[in-house]
Amino acid sequence: MGVIKLLDAQTADKIAAGEVIERPLSVVKELLENSIDAGATFIEIEIKDGGVGLIAVRDNGCGMAKDDLELAFTRHATSKLNQISDLNKLSSLGFRGEALASIAAVSQVEMTSALKGSSIGHKISLTIGSMPVITEVAASSGTNIEVKNLFYNIPARRKFLKSASYESGLIGELISKYALGHLNIRFRLINNRQVVLDTAKMNTAEERLSYFYGSEVQKHVITVPKVEFAPQKFLQMYLLRETVSRNNRSQEIFFVNGRLIKSTALSLSLEQGYHTLLAKGRFPIGVVILDLPGEQIDVNIHPSKLEIKINDFEKVKQAIVEYTSDALWQASISKNAFLLDDYRPADDSKSGYVASFKDKQDSEKNIEDKPSLAKGEYASLTEIKQKILNKEEFPPKEASEDKAFAQINNEKPAEKPLDLPKTLFKPQEVQAKAKSEQVATFKKEPPKAVQVKDVEGLTLLAQLNNSFILAQNKEGLYIIDQHTLHERILYEKFMQAADEKQIVSESLLIPVTFNLTPKQESIFIQCIIYLRDLGFVIEEFGDRSYLLRAVPQGLAGNEDLAQLIIDLIEDLGAEKNITISRLKEAVINQAACKAAVKARQPLDEKEMLELLSQLNLVANAHTCPHGRPIFYKISMKELYNIFKRGAYPYD
Ligand code: ADP
Ligand code: MG
């Protein structure tokens, strides 16, 4: 006896139209959710050509009887809902009974399913324009659906898709997120015959987080165990400490009753919980799992069920803010108590990391007796990667031979912006000495004036709270943001060097490893060649793991190069089309920002004058590459106004 029923017309009318199949990702999401609804503990997703060639989803869930298999592809046929009021006690992800019908309308589908405990199942084949064919087959319990030739009958939709690697990146990202919200399910993703993701034997959030974000994050995970923050409302969180962050919101992951959702309001609550710990423009990484009574949420408001409505939303938001900030606070206290941990020799953890990584790779190889790679997209990408990453000589020739950059380095100190951060950083005594000298200098002679474009004769006054340079001319007071100013100077220098192909690599003493999510990797692969041209030397280290061996000059002193690369990739991921010039701009932006003097860095008079004088050389002296202002001017007129001195008489 089947369990699927056709919704009556009134019920169907009340359900918002949905399940719009936009791209391969939408198919994967619907099929994944069906497998979760079927109670599967193992879900394998296989894709080819970014999902256009094939999307297969295999699960060990409850399976379907023959009648259901036939009915499942009819619109508004579902086993999850009878009447609209059932939405109030919904425990499944699906409820509209539309997904399979929508998928079958834009592809060729075959589905094999056998009920739990049965070794005989049924297979249905559907192609538009012909009658469905059902046959009895031997099958293990569970369901196996294969979607081929997506959008073969809608060429316009196909045209709208991006590259196969982009589409498969989106799919990988979705699966990794689901894997973080459903710890009891093993997820495996195969892309063009290669296992790219497998959570076998990883049953804790910590294990999965470190699998996706790199093993170093393990010690940064903070767990907020399940709490009942209001009657029948539960919250559970896995947060990464503020030490690991992103430059966008994409890793703020929310589940409500098992459903992955998007919500700006919830994102803002999470961010508020991190308040003051993260710099502006930085976003946390965290998984927030909410369980709320069914009647308090409305899932029937968004075509792909990505957004939901939550009753008494304020309480939920407040709980996220409070539990997040409490957990971070607790973690910071315990971190200080065990400060020694952080001083363990880095080698220990590194060798452990490599060993465990190798184990993982080996076990992966055992899982699949891989035949030689198919001539698919992934095979060719692997080839490209190998060619670029492994076979090329290292270090690159230009590194030692580049004369142009050497020239820049031989210039006199005032024109050596690339070295500024190093020379600016001094041990305390030296700084103290510099300060006393500075005081003396001020006594002896008035500081020289600096000529800046559009600004006449600036005289240096002082540094304000180690963050701003104060200067004056006859028009008034200038407050100059030292970081922004230096960033602009470096940006233009780097840009010019890149335009003249004068970029050189600087080898790192200790190579830096970084781990990418499948989506990040797909972006990364697209720009590997350009990154090399810009002076990065990168080696493949394992699946989705890379070694950074050299970086463009000026970046090597950067504290967190792995973060820099990831920020760069995330920046590029937001772009519709990645072009060389866009990549160059992004690299240079990052390089300039990271290499520039920071706020709260004491500068002596000479250093400030040096910075100010370079301002004259740059083309845009008014804003940094991010568009922030460099100057703030308070004119004498304004000062006269503020102090109620009447009109300024010396204009
Ligand atoms: P919905 O999930 O909204 O009910 P679908 O079109 O996605 O609609 O699926 C229709 C029905 O097919 C489901 O209600 C369910 O009974 C059945 N079904 C789909 N996929 C599976 C699966 N993997 N395992 C068991 N049953 C499934
Ligand atoms: Mg469904």
Side-chain angles (χ1 to χ4, degrees):
M1 248 280 294
V3 289
I4 301 185
K5 291 195 198 79
L6 215 55
L7 294 177
D8 60 61
Q10 289 105 309
T11 311
D13 280 350
K14 285 191 189 117
I15 286 183
E19 334 286 22
V20 188
I21 304 299
E22 260 188 7
R23 58 185 347 132
L25 178 73
S26 351
V27 176
V28 173
K29 178 174 175 287
E30 292 301 333
L31 298 181
L32 202 62
E33 293 189 346
N34 279 349
S35 296
I36 295 173
D37 284 347
T41 54
F42 179 30
I43 305 176
E44 180 177 84
I45 301 98
E46 177 169 3
I47 54 173
K48 282 184 186 156
D49 312 323
V52 174
L54 171 77
I55 295 172
V57 177
R58 303 173 191 115
D59 69 48
N60 62 353
C62 63
M64 272 180 276
K66 185 182 174 200
D67 297 352
D68 281 347
L69 201 53
E70 262 187 296
L71 205 49
F73 290 88
T74 312
R75 208 163 281 276
H76 302 308
T78 178
S79 58
K80 301 168 191 173
L81 191 91
N82 278 322
Q83 54 210 32
I84 200 75
S85 61
D86 291 346
L87 271 181
N88 286 338
K89 47 182 193 314
L90 192 74
S91 60
S92 58
L93 303 173
F95 56 86
R96 291 182 178 134
E98 287 185 329
L100 292 183
S102 310
I103 294 167
V106 293
S107 63
Q108 290 154 337
V109 180
E110 247 179 32
M111 193 182 216
T112 308
S113 195
L115 288 169
K116 261 239 147 86
S118 162
S119 57
I120 301 284
H122 294 89
K123 175 167 156 178
I124 185 167
S125 306
L126 297 125
T127 306
I128 305 154
S130 38
M131 286 293 286
V133 184
I134 298 203
T135 47
E136 196 175 277
V137 290
S140 49
S141 53
T143 302
N144 176 358
I145 178 165
E146 295 199 348
V147 177
K148 288 184 181 154
N149 251 329
L150 187 63
F151 300 138
Y152 75 102
N153 54 347
I154 317 182
R157 256 310 142 75
R158 242 199 211 181
K159 247 188 234 149
F160 155 87
L161 299 180
K162 293 194 189 159
S163 67
S165 65
Y166 178 86
E167 298 294 336
S168 57
L170 292 180
I171 292 169
E173 171 105 339
L174 179 82
I175 294 168
S176 2
K177 285 186 178 169
Y178 261 103
L180 291 169
H182 291 267
L183 298 171
N184 55 333
I185 302 176
R186 172 181 168 194
F187 292 86
R188 184 147 99 134
L189 172 64
I190 302 171
N191 184 13
N192 292 329
R193 292 187 180 218
Q194 267 207 333
V195 177
V196 287
L197 198 152
D198 189 348
T199 63
K201 299 207 185 85
M202 293 174 203
N203 304 317
T204 66
E206 287 81 0
E207 282 167 332
R208 291 193 179 187
L209 280 166
S210 52
Y211 178 59
F212 293 124
Y213 297 102
S215 63
E216 338 53 269
V217 308
Q218 194 143 6
K219 62 176 184 206
H220 300 275
V221 179
I222 304 173
T223 303
V224 177
K226 195 165 181 171
V227 283
E228 189 171 13
F229 63 92
Q232 297 301 308
K233 296 182 183 179
F234 301 89
L235 169 70
Q236 191 179 356
M237 295 193 282
Y238 304 103
L239 308 171
L240 289 192
R241 289 191 52 157
E242 71 280 5
T243 34
V244 193
S245 63
R246 289 286 181 270
N247 58 354
N248 60 42
R249 294 206 160 107
S250 66
Q251 303 308 315
E252 298 176 7
I253 305 168
F254 297 93
F255 283 91
V256 177
N257 298 1
R259 185 188 306 282
L260 178 68
I261 61 149
K262 257 192 189 160
S263 159
T264 312
L266 291 184
S267 284
L268 290 172
S269 310
L270 183 67
E271 287 155 25
Q272 205 183 325
Y274 279 77
H275 185 60
T276 71
L277 291 174
L278 288 176
K280 205 163 172 268
R282 303 301 308 180
F283 298 93
I285 300 175
V287 187
V288 177
I289 299 173
L290 285 159
D291 275 305
L292 306 172
E295 73 276 7
Q296 300 223 0
I297 60 174
D298 188 355
V299 289
N300 190 21
I301 60 162
H302 188 263
S304 45
K305 300 170 287 187
L306 259 177
E307 285 167 21
I308 62 167
K309 225 168 83 189
I310 299 177
N311 288 357
D312 204 1
F313 201 23
E314 280 313 311
K315 224 186 216 111
V316 175
K317 291 195 287 188
Q318 199 185 332
I320 294 177
V321 178
E322 281 170 13
Y323 281 97
T324 303
S325 64
D326 274 7
L328 290 165
W329 169 242
Q330 290 289 345
S332 78
I333 294 174
S334 53
K335 187 203 158 206
N336 290 339
F338 299 105
L339 204 62
L340 277 177
D341 249 354
D342 282 71
Y343 286 95
R344 271 201 200 123
D347 279 357
D348 278 11
S349 56
K350 275 272 184 276
S351 59
Y353 171 62
V354 174
S356 66
F357 195 83
K358 283 229 170 83
D359 291 349
K360 199 186 93 202
Q361 274 187 304
D362 290 344
S363 67
E364 227 156 53
K365 282 206 182 88
N366 293 338
I367 293 172
E368 261 223 327
D369 254 15
K370 269 181 252 158
S372 63
L373 278 179
K375 258 210 172 325
E377 168 90 13
Y378 211 87
S380 59
L381 283 178
T382 312
E383 274 165 32
I384 296 175
K385 277 201 284 182
Q386 250 152 30
K387 225 186 195 156
I388 297 164
L389 298 173
N390 299 333
K391 301 210 179 106
E392 300 271 357
E393 54 179 332
F394 171 79
K397 258 198 197 136
E398 322 91 87
S400 48
E401 287 176 7
D402 196 295
K403 291 187 190 84
F405 240 75
Q407 221 175 29
I408 291 185
N409 283 332
N410 286 332
E411 283 169 2
K412 45 187 193 308
E415 291 170 31
K416 223 173 85 180
L418 294 176
D419 280 350
L420 254 177
K422 286 175 217 152
T423 54
L424 288 177
F425 187 77
K426 296 190 185 82
Q428 265 177 359
E429 319 91 80
V430 184
Q431 263 173 36
K433 190 165 162 261
K435 274 214 191 85
S436 61
E437 272 169 9
Q438 186 179 325
V439 174
T441 328
F442 273 120
K443 270 185 197 152
K444 264 188 266 153
E445 44 172 332
K448 321 184 263 252
V450 173
Q451 195 60 44
V452 177
K453 218 175 273 175
D454 306 334
V455 184
E456 219 179 294
L458 272 189
T459 322
L460 178 66
L461 289 174
Q463 190 185 21
L464 173 67
N465 288 332
N466 296 335
S467 302
F468 294 92
I469 299 172
L470 302 181
Q472 69 168 20
N473 68 6
K474 68 176 179 21
E475 285 173 32
L477 173 69
Y478 290 74
I479 305 168
I480 298 145
D481 185 328
Q482 65 192 42
H483 169 74
T484 314
L485 165 59
H486 195 199
E487 196 180 0
R488 182 80 227 172
I489 294 168
L490 292 180
Y491 173 83
E492 293 201 7
K493 274 274 179 191
F494 289 163
M495 234 355 164
Q496 197 186 349
D499 285 343
E500 292 164 11
K501 295 219 177 314
Q502 292 175 348
I503 285 204
V504 269
S505 289
E506 196 171 331
S507 302
L508 299 173
L509 285 176
I510 305 165
V512 173
T513 47
F514 59 96
N515 254 64
L516 299 177
T517 63
K519 184 179 169 204
Q520 288 168 345
E521 188 176 47
S522 73
I523 300 163
F524 176 64
I525 288 168
Q526 290 176 57
C527 35
I528 277 179
I529 300 175
Y530 309 142
L531 283 172
R532 241 199 87 88
D533 284 352
L534 286 167
F536 287 92
V537 176
I538 300 166
E539 258 175 46
E540 201 169 11
F541 189 49
D543 62 349
R544 291 184 286 105
S545 188
Y546 294 86
L547 264 190
L548 189 59
R549 290 207 171 270
V551 292
Q553 195 161 39
L555 276 187
N558 211 281
E559 280 163 35
D560 197 346
L561 284 167
Q563 187 65 62
L564 182 137
I565 291 268
I566 288 169
D567 284 358
L568 192 67
I569 294 172
E570 290 285 336
D571 273 352
L572 291 166
E575 298 284 313
K576 276 218 171 85
N577 287 309
I578 300 173
T579 57
I580 307 179
S581 65
R582 180 61 195 96
L583 181 75
K584 191 172 78 182
E585 166 119 14
V587 171
I588 287 170
N589 257 334
Q590 287 284 348
C593 178
K594 302 265 154 86
V597 294
K598 299 290 174 290
R600 309 214 53 75
Q601 188 168 332
L603 303 178
D604 65 24
E605 185 204 344
K606 188 167 151 274
E607 291 160 342
M608 287 191 273
L609 280 172
E610 216 168 275
L611 275 178
L612 279 185
S613 63
Q614 298 219 21
L615 195 53
N616 202 27
L617 305 173
V618 302
N620 184 349
H622 296 277
T623 55
C624 77
H626 302 113
R628 285 195 301 265
I630 292 177
F631 282 98
Y632 187 80
K633 177 183 165 188
I634 305 179
S635 68
M636 294 308 290
K637 260 191 204 149
E638 283 169 85
L639 284 172
Y640 261 64
N641 242 335
I642 291 169
F643 293 103
K644 307 214 179 308
R645 300 273 307 268
Y648 182 58
Y650 309 109
D651 249 349

